[in-house]
Amino acid sequence: MIYQSDSLSVTRLDGDIAELNFDLKGESVNKFNQATVNDLTAALDALDAESGIKGLLVTSGKPVFIVGADITEFTSLFGAGVEEIKPFTGTNNKNFNRLAALPYPSAVAINGYAMGGGLEICLACDFRVMSTAAKVGLPETKLGILPGWGGTVRLPRIIGVDEAVMWMATGAEKKAEDALKAGAVDAVAGPEALRDVTLATLQQAIDGKLDYESRRARKHGPLPLNDTEAMMSFFTIKAMVGQQAGKNYPAPIKVVDVIEQARGMSLEDALDVEAQGFAELATTDVAAALVGIFLSDQFLGKKAKDWEKKASKPVQSAAVLGAGIMGGGIAYQSALKGVPIKMKDIAQEGLDLGLSEANKLLAKRVARGRMTPDKMGDILNSIDPMLGYDRFDEVDIVVEAVVENPKVKHAVLAETEGVIAEDAILASNTSTISITYLAEALKRPENFCGMHFFNPVHAMPLVEVIRGEKSSDEAVARTVAYANRMGKKAVVVKDCPGFLVNRVLFPYFGGFNMLVRDGADFQAIDKVMERWGWPMGPAYLMDVVGIDTGVHAAGVMAEGFPDRMQPDFKSATEVMFELDRYGQKNGKGFYEYVPDKRGKPTKTVNEEVYNMIADVVGDRAEFEREDIIARMMLPMAIELARCLEEGIVETAAEADLALVYGVGFPPFRGGIFRWMDTVGLAHIKEASDKFAHLGKAYELTDRMNEMLANGETYY
Ligand SMILES: NC(=O)c1ccc[n+]([C@@H]2O[C@H](COP(=O)([O-])OP(=O)(O)OC[C@H]3O[C@@H](n4cnc5c(N)ncnc54)[C@H](O)[C@@H]3O)[C@@H](O)[C@H]2O)c1
């Protein structure tokens, strides 16, 4: 034994080869936390002191290689300034530089996930052999930062600038075959052969059959581009990356800047440029927001796993009632993720439609080479369409997704309860009807809860699991377990009109209706909110949700919360509804939609719409951008605060993620609570006072005022 610590060890193998093995005690994965970084320094000291070593093998003792830096240690950095942050990357850069300059060759066996710092240490090694079971990547830009341990320096020198920028700008995970093709690794081996192949490679280098010195020179010298080539190349790359990332996500462009700036530099100078870029990004609100989202997502995942453990049995088979837009989507997603599903409707056309939707989605996967035709056949066969309740007593869970009508739902739920097993769980996908109320039709209300998917089911990650007054832990646990199996993000919420997401979305639409009433141009509002980060503005979103659906849901919300959601005017949205303009579904709403060549609806403007709504809107007025944002966002933010205060949702983190995953709230803002923390409650209060005349939806809650007085924040 040359060195041993709680995170890694160095041993001497036959043939004077040293093995550096990462194996973090008490953890399921290896990561570069501060302790591991310090241990690596000590291990390198020990290696320096050991005589006669001819080569270094780098391995992992876990199923993953190294998943990256310990993100939880990052949060303390964000409050600091650029100069305080720079040393954060320094120690490990010294480690990796020492590793890269050992007086003998090194080879790494990448057995599993090697992400971020996990891949950067591999890049510092002379030879990389990757298991077919492994994945590699530099995902830092997804967190609003950039690789800070030499990734921006070494990767472009190994695989070329264009490819390296794509890896870093997208943060994508790469399979072994792609990594080999790009030249990021030297060989690929099956998991059993990995160690032997890596050792054999190392031995060849020791024997002088593979030249590791020239590799080092290339990796640590200037990029092989002359000035003209560099100018053209970086110009094109910047335009492309800028367009893909958008102006709200500065990290991908920074990656390109850093590579360009350091292209002619020595290793040390290039690492300095990288450290500066890293520190500048780490001080941005965007980085804090994206890291916050990452950590909240881990928290949410853990909660969902804990719920799943509470379920008395796993979900192995399911059924869905109603084969419409939602039922068809649920059947597809369940089958895709390996849970066979019965799909029941009362009409053959419904079943045909549900199946053809699933067929279309699967055919797309096959066409993109992401699925074999055989697999597609298997998945389709695991959807069992029917008009009756054939063998419904065999399923673990039934999701009801029939028309949004309380009477129909009561009848369907009661009928279904009669044909399923005593311990089977029933869940409703209703968007507006109280779960507690729906349960009144049931003999076993404890076995019932809400399971609210978002449209389109396959694309939207969120599922709200709604706890009615009588829902048991088992009902919630099994429903969450099913959401997990379907690859969805489950947030458990309490029953109330709109549940969580719609309850806060409709005040936002309320803000929109008032702005239009007061003379704002709906297109201008859309533009401002899209620039603010929303994937689509409120008018466009209302069209996509469906104006009929929206008007119906707004009515339910107004009944539930009349003090702040009952408008005292007729809205432009209602006018659209009366004119049978239901939005994207029938091709006309605030905008009009014509299918493009591929059948995708494209948005167009019909100036006539302004005449249609003229009677309910005031004189056209110009609004300041900041006022539009405040008038749109305040009602949503305040309602979300109410939900947290009332315990509809348990934590700010879950609430923030629910809006990111359910309605596409801009991730770079980290969520609504994160946004309020960033701008400050004092700013929110100022805006609330300014727009107090718009009604109670704009009034801060007592608790918010108290938080402001005490200087409290949500995170
Ligand atoms: N469309 C959305 O955006 C969306 C989003 C979330 C939740 N939801 C909710 O999902 C549910 C379904 O909505 P949808 O948009 O899929 O509706 P849809 O009209 O597309 O489909 C409803 C289907 O239910 C079938 N049906 C009616 N009565 C039935 C019965 N007794 N037994 C079996 N099937 C029956 C109909 O034939 C139809 O195929 C509603 O509760 C809705 O509020 C909809």
Side-chain angles (χ1 to χ4, degrees):
M1 184 65 66
I2 298 174
Y3 178 80
Q4 170 83 55
S5 74
D6 283 350
S7 66
L8 51 88
S9 63
V10 184
T11 46
R12 197 165 180 134
L13 309 178
D14 289 346
D16 296 325
I17 288 173
E19 175 173 1
L20 167 63
N21 180 262
F22 286 88
D23 199 348
L24 190 56
K25 270 213 190 102
E27 298 269 357
S28 57
V29 297
N30 290 319
K31 55 190 168 190
F32 276 118
N33 54 12
Q34 211 50 56
T36 305
V37 169
N38 295 337
D39 289 348
L40 182 57
T41 307
L44 287 160
D45 291 343
L47 264 176
D48 282 350
E50 188 80 5
S51 59
I53 299 291
K54 294 189 179 139
L56 178 73
L57 172 72
V58 182
T59 58
S60 154
K62 303 219 185 279
V64 302
F65 182 69
I66 299 172
V67 294
D70 185 348
I71 313 280
T72 55
E73 290 180 354
F74 273 33
T75 44
S76 62
L77 282 182
F78 290 124
V82 170
E83 290 312 313
E84 287 85 63
I85 292 175
K86 270 167 98 176
F88 175 81
T89 50
T91 313
N92 220 21
N93 268 327
K94 279 198 198 109
N95 284 339
F96 289 4
N97 290 350
R98 286 176 73 187
L99 185 68
L102 285 172
Y104 38 79
S106 58
V108 55
I110 309 171
N111 61 313
Y113 260 93
M115 307 304 286
L119 176 58
E120 286 173 295
I121 189 174
C122 299
L123 299 176
C125 294
D126 296 318
F127 298 94
R128 288 165 291 282
V129 183
M130 183 170 170
S131 161
T132 46
K135 283 195 178 143
V136 298
L138 293 175
E140 286 81 355
T141 57
K142 288 186 179 169
L143 299 177
I145 49 177
L146 55 72
W149 288 328
T152 70
V153 181
R154 294 192 177 95
L155 192 63
R157 285 158 178 80
I158 294 173
I159 67 173
V161 174
D162 291 6
E163 185 81 17
V165 166
M166 285 331 288
W167 280 44
M168 290 185 265
T170 60
E173 290 176 3
K174 300 288 178 180
K175 290 190 206 145
E177 55 184 296
D178 298 327
L180 183 66
K181 208 163 124 198
V185 298
D186 303 292
V188 168
E192 306 77 31
L194 179 71
R195 187 182 173 86
D196 289 346
V197 175
T198 315
L199 271 172
T201 307
L202 184 59
Q203 193 59 52
Q204 284 192 321
I206 294 171
D207 296 344
K209 293 179 191 149
L210 287 173
D211 177 7
Y212 67 94
E213 301 280 3
S214 66
R215 291 178 152 242
R216 288 185 184 182
R218 180 162 63 103
K219 206 161 62 181
H220 297 145
L223 278 168
L225 292 173
N226 67 34
D227 286 350
T228 321
E229 284 169 344
M231 196 187 71
M232 285 174 45
S233 168
F234 283 107
F235 181 79
T236 325
I237 294 173
K238 266 189 213 165
M240 194 174 70
V241 170
Q243 202 194 9
Q244 275 175 6
K247 67 170 181 40
N248 295 318
Y249 296 86
I253 276 289
K254 192 68 151 183
V255 165
V256 187
D257 282 342
V258 162
I259 298 176
E260 181 179 21
Q261 212 183 319
R263 74 181 172 86
M265 291 183 181
S266 67
L267 175 67
E268 281 71 24
D269 291 347
L271 287 174
D272 269 352
V273 171
E274 182 186 83
Q276 176 73 25
F278 177 91
E280 282 172 18
L281 287 174
T283 52
T284 60
D285 289 339
V286 176
L290 292 175
V291 169
I293 292 228
F294 176 86
L295 294 174
S296 297
D297 184 66
Q298 289 203 322
F299 167 72
L300 190 70
K302 179 159 185 318
K303 262 188 120 168
K305 274 265 143 49
D306 288 346
W307 269 113
E308 184 169 341
K309 280 186 208 140
K310 284 194 211 158
S312 66
K313 59 171 172 177
V315 175
Q316 272 153 345
S317 66
V320 63
L321 306 169
I325 302 174
M326 299 306 286
I330 293 165
Y332 161 82
Q333 189 67 22
S334 183
L336 180 74
K337 294 293 177 179
V339 184
I341 185 160
K342 299 175 189 301
M343 181 171 74
K344 180 198 179 302
D345 205 291
I346 45 168
Q348 185 59 43
E349 307 88 76
L351 294 177
D352 294 344
L353 200 78
L355 275 180
S356 88
E357 275 303 313
N359 213 328
K360 253 193 253 164
L361 289 169
L362 290 166
K364 246 191 224 164
R365 285 183 164 248
V366 172
R368 288 192 190 140
R370 288 176 62 199
M371 182 181 280
T372 64
D374 278 359
K375 179 83 187 158
M376 169 172 168
D378 289 348
I379 292 173
L380 276 179
N381 281 334
S382 66
I383 302 177
D384 186 6
M386 59 185 68
L387 294 168
Y389 290 101
D390 188 22
R391 295 183 19 199
F392 257 57
D393 57 335
E394 292 172 5
V395 301
D396 302 313
I397 189 165
V398 180
V399 183
E400 172 277 309
V402 305
V403 283
E404 187 76 347
N405 174 321
K407 274 203 194 110
V408 176
K409 285 204 195 276
H410 264 165
V412 169
L413 288 169
E415 188 174 85
T416 308
E417 188 183 43
V419 296
I420 56 176
E422 285 269 324
D423 68 344
I425 301 301
L426 248 177
S428 174
N429 182 44
T430 178
S431 352
T432 55
I433 308 169
S434 154
I435 295 302
T436 302
Y437 171 69
L438 286 178
E440 285 174 10
L442 297 171
K443 293 201 185 86
R444 300 186 293 273
E446 65 280 7
N447 287 356
F448 176 68
C449 65
M451 187 178 196
H452 185 217
F453 290 86
F454 291 76
N455 185 18
V457 175
H458 70 275
M460 300 303 288
L462 183 69
V463 171
E464 286 177 300
V465 175
I466 304 124
R467 194 171 197 141
E469 260 167 36
K470 296 196 173 151
S471 308
S472 62
D473 275 356
E474 175 67 22
V476 172
R478 205 179 306 168
T479 307
V480 172
Y482 186 35
N484 291 351
R485 284 264 345 233
M486 290 171 90
K488 296 293 172 193
K489 312 271 185 187
V491 174
V492 178
V493 299
K494 272 201 218 149
D495 194 15
C496 68
F499 314 128
L500 178 68
V501 172
N502 283 336
R503 175 163 161 187
V504 304
L505 184 61
F506 279 87
Y508 172 84
F509 284 137
F512 167 75
N513 283 332
M514 279 194 261
L515 266 169
V516 175
R517 173 200 65 187
D518 295 344
D521 173 3
F522 68 85
Q523 284 192 71
I525 302 173
D526 272 7
K527 270 196 201 117
V528 169
M529 297 318 287
E530 283 162 17
R531 246 199 233 149
W532 195 75
W534 283 96
M536 46 184 87
Y540 187 16
L541 180 61
M542 187 54 110
D543 274 359
V544 171
V545 166
I547 293 206
D548 51 340
T549 309
V551 167
H552 170 77
V556 174
M557 303 306 297
E559 202 178 303
F561 308 105
D563 60 339
R564 50 194 194 274
M565 297 194 207
Q566 176 69 62
D568 56 3
F569 62 96
K570 184 172 183 176
S571 71
T573 311
E574 283 167 290
V575 174
M576 292 289 102
F577 175 67
E578 284 170 4
L579 294 172
D580 293 339
R581 299 178 71 92
Y582 297 160
Q584 214 174 52
K585 65 175 76 162
N586 72 352
K588 6 178 231 213
F590 283 101
Y591 299 93
E592 298 193 352
Y593 301 86
V594 266
D596 67 7
K597 272 186 239 145
R598 278 187 252 134
K600 237 174 114 183
T602 42
K603 190 178 81 169
T604 55
V605 177
N606 176 356
E607 294 293 332
E608 265 304 298
V609 170
Y610 291 101
N611 294 332
M612 296 176 201
I613 58 177
D615 283 350
V616 298
V617 305
D619 292 340
R620 182 70 70 87
E622 291 300 324
F623 286 81
E624 292 291 332
R625 201 177 146 264
E626 287 308 314
D627 287 352
I628 293 182
I629 294 165
R631 288 183 60 157
M632 288 301 302
M633 288 310 303
L634 276 187
M636 184 181 237
I638 296 169
E639 197 61 32
L640 196 65
R642 280 180 197 280
C643 288
L644 186 64
E645 291 166 23
E646 291 171 18
I648 299 299
V649 62
E650 276 180 11
T651 60
E654 287 163 280
D656 275 350
L657 275 192
L659 286 167
V660 170
Y661 292 145
V663 284
F665 182 86
F668 73 92
R669 294 196 184 276
I672 294 188
F673 286 124
R674 175 88 54 190
W675 168 67
M676 287 201 277
D677 277 357
T678 306
V679 298
L681 272 181
H683 173 88
I684 300 288
K685 170 79 179 159
E686 226 172 83
S688 152
D689 289 345
K690 178 169 181 185
F691 297 113
H693 61 281
L694 293 173
K696 195 153 161 75
Y698 289 81
E699 197 179 295
L700 300 198
T701 66
D702 292 345
R703 173 74 189 119
M704 290 175 93
N705 281 316
E706 186 184 297
M707 286 180 70
L708 173 62
N710 299 341
E712 292 174 69
T713 53
Y714 287 103
Y715 283 92

